[in-house]
Every structure is written in structure tokens, then in C-alpha cells.
Amino acid sequence: MKVTITQENLNHGLTTVAKIAQQRGSLPILSHVLLKTVDNQLFIAATNLDIAMSEVIGAKVDREGSITVPARLMQDYISSLPKGQITLELDGTNLHIKTSDKNYTSTLNGTLSDDFPAMPEVSSGKSISVSAKELVGSLGRVLFCASHDDSRPVLMGVYMHSDDKGDVYVAATDSYRLAQCKTSIQSKDPVSLIFPSAALQELLRVAKSEDEKVVITYDEQQAVFQVGSVEIVTRLIDGTYPEYQKLLPSSFETTAQLSREDFHEVVKISSLFAREAAGGVTLHFSEDDNALSIKSIASQVGENTATAEAKIDKDAQITMNSRYILDALGAFSGDKLLVQVNGKLDPCVLSDPSDKEYIHLVMPVKS
Amino acid sequence: MKVTITQENLNHGLTTVAKIAQQRGSLPILSHVLLKTVDNQLFIAATNLDIAMSEVIGAKVDREGSITVPARLMQDYISSLPKGQITLELDGTNLHIKTSDKNYTSTLNGTLSDDFPAMPEVSSGKSISVSAKELVGSLGRVLFCASHDDSRPVLMGVYMHSDDKGDVYVAATDSYRLAQCKTSIQSKDPVSLIFPSAALQELLRVAKSEDEKVVITYDEQQAVFQVGSVEIVTRLIDGTYPEYQKLLPSSFETTAQLSREDFHEVVKISSLFAREAAGGVTLHFSEDDNALSIKSIASQVGENTATAEAKIDKDAQITMNSRYILDALGAFSGDKLLVQVNGKLDPCVLSDPSDKEYIHLVMPVKS
């Protein structure tokens, strides 16, 4: 293998894929990154067996070949080099790397690429195309609600599914809170896919700065996200996602409408006094006072009452984990917020009166 | 105690001193901050017994008094409150805190201030006055060389001392590297003080944003740094600082002059390959090539040679820890750098040809 490539392109490829390579693990080759000439391009790939990432970058190929080299060192090294042309030349399993001014010359001890796990392929399958910006927006608003508890694997993913009108939604829940976002995707075929959170985190990282489309191709077992020259292959989570739609209340006894920023302030300050109580704070909805007040009591250190002005149609009271409310507020950006409750034991629903696409449920804690 | 104070002033005082309060420790009161009315001001203080910090802030005092409250909660709470007037009112050991719009009302359970350690005082003593900016500059260039090894306590501090002309220097060494900076201070009295690093770190934090003078008052045992309305009291380290001046070479066999940025690049890149060798890299000074090259070899992963253009008067070679060189380079800001060596076993000296006030020595490692 002999390849000439710009530092900028090589660095982009390595920054994209090398994060997937494991630093420690039972299989040393998984800490490596694969470099392989394909036509007049360089294919760069890494995998942790759950997720495989690759990018194809432009290169001048003088001699075909392939090798794997330690991912972290290769990435740190290339990212530190000055901009300009870099030559990669393979001699046995030694990869010689030279900058064109010859100020930097190095040799990395590689491993034969024969041992590198084959990249999984989704040969035939259905596909969805969506703007990167919109997909990142929708996924980012639900992904943080996915569970980290591996006793219920389906909850560790994000559920993408279509309704009978062909509208596609994404949703995630860890059974303490739930978020659903309607996407801009329209699908004739019914969609029902559970994507692992880890793969979506990589997708968000890569697609965040992309203006292009993301193409999702999937079969029964796995899915490929194609973002520009980057491909992310992931297995799908097997199983049936809970019918969470049944949890979404259709009507509310009490609705508070208030400034999102005010609500954020009072929850944040209340949470300081809720550390002893595992984050629990009690929301008091007062119709007469036009106020939503939060009381938090820390028996050892003190107590606090924080009040925000709000339009309220009926008195109510509910105790929730302040951390979940703060997490939820990160998914909103409008001026106003609706906070709606039924009873002390029913979920509290947060939504933006000017954006009906997103809904967030937080379960109460026993007060 | 009943005090009205602005959120901005109270937050400034708490941000300054509360960091000193210990979260965990044998004495619970050390996790508290002292609030005490003094004339028409509020005195805020915290101590960890080694260092005591206080700030006096303007306040409207309606009723005198004092109390200690949990430092971290108080700071987090006050910093989260909106700008404006805050009332602090003491009832027994309960401190009631209210914002003027009454949207936030809280009660902190305090502890009687009788149990709070008395702030140490430097009653009579000599004093030095210096511009905060200059002191921060000089200390910042040497402080990182102080030792973390408590087997030689004097090396855990920064040595401030005067020469026979009255010029005052600061110096620090951990016996692997040494930095000395000449300050703008002139002192008629001979100065010989060893300040603990931790206290200087607090001083740098506080004095960084100050345009004013720092007044250092000291006696045999302790010193006070006065920065605006803030006071930092610290014990001095007892003992005799090594006569490090003997280590400073007066002449050099080899001098390399090169761009500081180039040198930083080649050291940084070489250090990537020096991880296996505990950071050791070998500098090759070549007169014929007008080049300073650094070789680093990692037997497992590969090797690297990085070269920077340099004016060199004689060939030489020395092996050093790349981490120490990178640390040292953080203390330089000029365009050019002098790298000077005598033998393989003698210290390498870094200096800026246009700034003779600062000198930095790095000891070689055996190659």
C-alpha cells in the first residue's frame, strides 16, 4: 500500500471512526483502525462488534493494500501533524508515515487486516431518507430518556415507528420518564425499529455538522446510517417496544402555562435543596395566586420555596424528581411551557404550546 | 442578624471564599462559611486550617450578628438566585433568605459561629506591595514546578527571596525541573519566604481578575495576601530552601535558537510515541543540518522522528521527559526560544532571548 492524502482528510476520517475502537478489550484488533485502498480512495473503519463505522476519503493511491494500526495513536498523531500532504507506505506490517516537508517521519507497527472483523452489510432492505438536521433534532430530544438498565433491553433503545397515516415518530422511555417526537419522515411501509442508544449517539456526533440527508437502510437485524461519506452499521434491538401511547393522557384536570425560563429557574434552585430527598420536589399549582410554587425540604440543611408566575385553571399538587424535570427542560426551546397534571399518581406532561410535535412525560414519585 | 445585600455582592464573596470550605472532613464546621456583620458590612470567611480566606462586602445592616451555614449549598443557592436585593435574617440558628420579589424564600440550618476557628492574624510584620497582574504573572510561571511529594515539605512551596541588590525572585522546583522568575518587587529588607502552593493557587484565582495591588504582610510563621476586599491568610513553610542558584549554568556548550511554536509542535508529537518510555524523548542538536530533531521510540507501537529548523552552534544530544518540556513551554509566550545544554547529564535550560527574567531548567533522564 502506498497512498498520498491530505492531513485534513485523513484527520477527518480518523476523528469520525476511531472513537469506536476500544482502548481495552479482549480482542486487541478492536483497538485498531482499518486502512484499505478502494479504487482511488482510502477506506477507514473501526468496530466494537456492536457498531461499525467507516468513512471513505479521497486519496492518491500508488499501490493498493490494507493494514490495521492502533487507532488512538494514529488519530492523536495525525491530528497533531501540520496541514498538508501525508504519505502512507506499507512495508510488511510497518506503516511508514511521512509529511511532505519530511519534518515528521514515523513508523507504526500494524497488524494484518485479515484479522479485522468483516464490516456487516445490509444487502437488501427498506430505506428512509431524511434531512440530517431534522433527524438530529428529533433524536436529540428523546435519546436521553432511553434506559441504561440492561434488564429490559428494548428500553435501552429509541423506538422509531409509524402510525396509520404514515407519520413517523421517535420515542424513548426508561419507565420514569418518556419523550415522543414526531419526525418529518413519511413512510408508506409501516416502520417499527428499535435503535441502540450508543449507535444513535455516534450518529448524532457525525450528523450534527452535516447539511445533507441521512439515509437509513434496514433489514430485520440491522440498520445502516449513511451520512455523506460516513457509514454507521448497527444491529437493531430485538423485541417488542411497550405500547407507550396508552400512557399519554388525552385530557388534564390542571394546566399551568408559564415562562419556560422561569420554570427552569425555580426547578434548578429547588433541586439544590432536594439532594437529601433524592431529587424529589413538590409542585404546587395555585389558581388564586396565579403561581406555580416548588417546595423542597432538606431536613439537615434547610428548606426552600421558589415561585413562578403561571396561568393555572385548577389547584393541584405533584411530587417529581427534579433531575428529570431539568433533563426534560433541555429538550424545549420555546418561550412558553405547558405543565399538565391529572392526579398525584398520574404522569405530569410537559409540552410547548407552539410546538405540538414533542411531548414529555415525567412520572411522579410518592410524596 | 438582619442584613440586606445585593445578590451580586453576596455571590462574589461566596464564590471567593467558599471553595476553601471542605466538603468532607473530620470537623463539620470546616464545611461551613462564616457570615458576620462588621460595622455596615458583611464579613464572609472560610478556612481549612491551612488557609483562611475572607471577603468584606457592602451591606445594609439592620441587626448585628453572626452565623455559619453550609458553604456549598449557600454558594450554589445564592449563585442561582436572580440579581437584586436579598435579605438575610437570623432566627436562632436558622438563617432566613428572601429575595425582594419574595419568589424565593429559604431557610438554612446554621451553626453558632462560636465554634468557627478564629481567623489567624499577622499583627506586626513586614510588608510588600506589588501589582496584582505582575505577581500573578511571575507566580504562574513557577508554581507548576513545585513538588507534590510531602517527603520534602520545602519543595512543596514557592520560594520568594531577594538578592543583594534587593531584587526579589520567585522559584520552585520538584528536583526534576526548576523555574525562576525575577519579579518587579524591590525590597530593602532581605526576603526569604516559602509560600505553600495551595495558598498561591487561591491567590492566583482571586488576583487574576484584579487590577489593583496585592499587599503581602508576613511574620515568621504566616503571611496575609490582601487583594482588594479579599484576605488570604496562610502559614509559611518552615525550613531552608535548597541553594538552587548553584544549579543554574553560567555557560553552555550548545545553544539552539528556534521558533517556540515549532519546538512545541515537535515535542507534542514526539510525546505521543513516548508513552511507553514514561515520556522520555531524545533531542538531537545538529549544527550541519540546522535542525533540532526529536526521536521517540515505542517498541510496541512504532517510532517517530520530528524535526524543527534551528540555529545551532555545536552538536549535542540529551534525553528528557517530554511532559516536563511541554509544561515548561506553557510558561513562555515569545516567538523565539533558546534551548541550551552542556552534557548528557547536566540540566537543559530553556529561556526566551527577549525576556531574561525567566529561566527554566529540566533535568535529563538516563538514556
Side-chain angles (χ1 to χ4, degrees), chain A residues 73 76-77 80-81 103-109 265-266 269 272-273 275 299-307, chain B residues 73 76-77 80 103-109 265-266 269 272-273 275 299-307:
Chain A
L73 177 62
D76 288 349
Y77 182 63
S80 301
L81 290 179
N103 276 346
Y104 299 95
T105 63
S106 74
T107 302
L108 288 190
N109 303 337
E265 278 301 300
V266 296
I269 291 182
L272 299 175
F273 286 79
R275 286 176 189 154
S299 56
Q300 296 289 323
V301 290
E303 57 180 78
N304 180 61
T305 304
T307 305
Chain B
L73 177 61
D76 288 349
Y77 181 63
S80 302
N103 275 347
Y104 299 95
T105 63
S106 73
T107 302
L108 287 192
N109 303 337
E265 278 303 299
V266 295
I269 290 180
L272 298 175
F273 286 79
R275 284 175 190 155
S299 57
Q300 295 289 324
V301 289
E303 57 180 79
N304 180 60
T305 303
T307 305

Side-chain angles (χ1 to χ4, degrees), chain B residues 48-276:
Chain B
N48 62 13
L49 299 183
D50 283 330
I51 306 167
M53 284 185 85
S54 63
E55 180 163 7
V56 177
I57 54 177
K60 182 173 163 290
V61 177
D62 288 323
R63 202 162 60 238
E64 306 253 324
S66 68
I67 188 73
T68 81
V69 289
R72 183 171 158 210
L73 177 61
M74 182 72 176
Q75 192 203 336
D76 288 349
Y77 181 63
I78 298 297
S79 71
S80 302
L81 290 179
K83 288 181 182 172
Q85 298 291 320
I86 295 175
T87 311
L88 308 178
E89 188 169 1
L90 194 60
D91 169 18
T93 57
N94 291 331
L95 183 70
H96 299 294
I97 306 172
K98 262 193 205 115
T99 55
S100 57
D101 62 7
K102 299 200 178 67
N103 275 347
Y104 299 95
T105 63
S106 73
T107 302
L108 287 192
N109 303 337
T111 304
L112 286 181
S113 58
D114 309 358
D115 300 336
F116 199 76
M119 302 297 283
E121 275 179 37
V122 180
S123 45
S124 68
K126 293 167 182 164
S127 81
I128 293 169
S129 176
V130 57
S131 119
K133 207 177 158 184
E134 280 176 19
L135 184 66
V136 166
S138 306
L139 287 174
R141 297 179 86 181
V142 304
L143 183 55
F144 64 96
C145 294
S147 171
H148 298 284
D149 174 3
D150 55 13
S151 67
R152 287 189 71 187
V154 292
L155 297 190
M156 296 179 79
V158 169
Y159 183 39
M160 178 181 270
H161 62 101
S162 55
D163 65 9
D164 44 16
K165 283 178 270 174
D167 289 329
V168 175
Y169 294 80
V170 287
T173 179
D174 59 6
S175 78
Y176 303 107
R177 49 7 198 322
L178 182 156
Q180 175 191 268
C181 190
K182 188 177 167 186
T183 71
S184 61
I185 305 167
Q186 272 283 331
S187 176
K188 282 178 207 163
D189 300 314
V191 176
S192 177
L193 302 164
I194 310 174
F195 298 112
S197 297
L200 295 181
Q201 255 141 16
E202 297 307 323
L203 173 65
L204 291 189
R205 180 169 65 84
V206 170
K208 219 166 234 172
S209 50
E210 278 291 329
D211 293 328
E212 300 175 45
K213 293 262 171 206
V214 175
V215 180
I216 312 173
T217 310
Y218 58 93
D219 59 19
E220 296 293 311
Q221 264 100 45
Q222 48 197 15
V224 186
F225 299 98
Q226 183 107 37
V227 193
S229 52
V230 178
E231 250 189 36
I232 304 170
V233 189
T234 176
R235 65 180 178 80
L236 292 167
I237 297 178
D238 197 24
T240 307
Y241 205 80
E243 290 186 42
Y244 71 87
Q245 292 93 332
K246 289 182 183 166
L247 284 172
L248 308 177
S250 52
S251 66
F252 296 98
E253 289 175 17
T254 296
T255 295
Q257 175 163 333
L258 74 172
S259 139
R260 177 180 59 85
E261 272 186 32
D262 285 357
F263 189 54
H264 187 251
E265 278 303 299
V266 295
V267 177
K268 197 179 73 182
I269 290 180
S270 301
S271 72
L272 298 175
F273 286 79
R275 284 175 190 155
E276 260 182 49

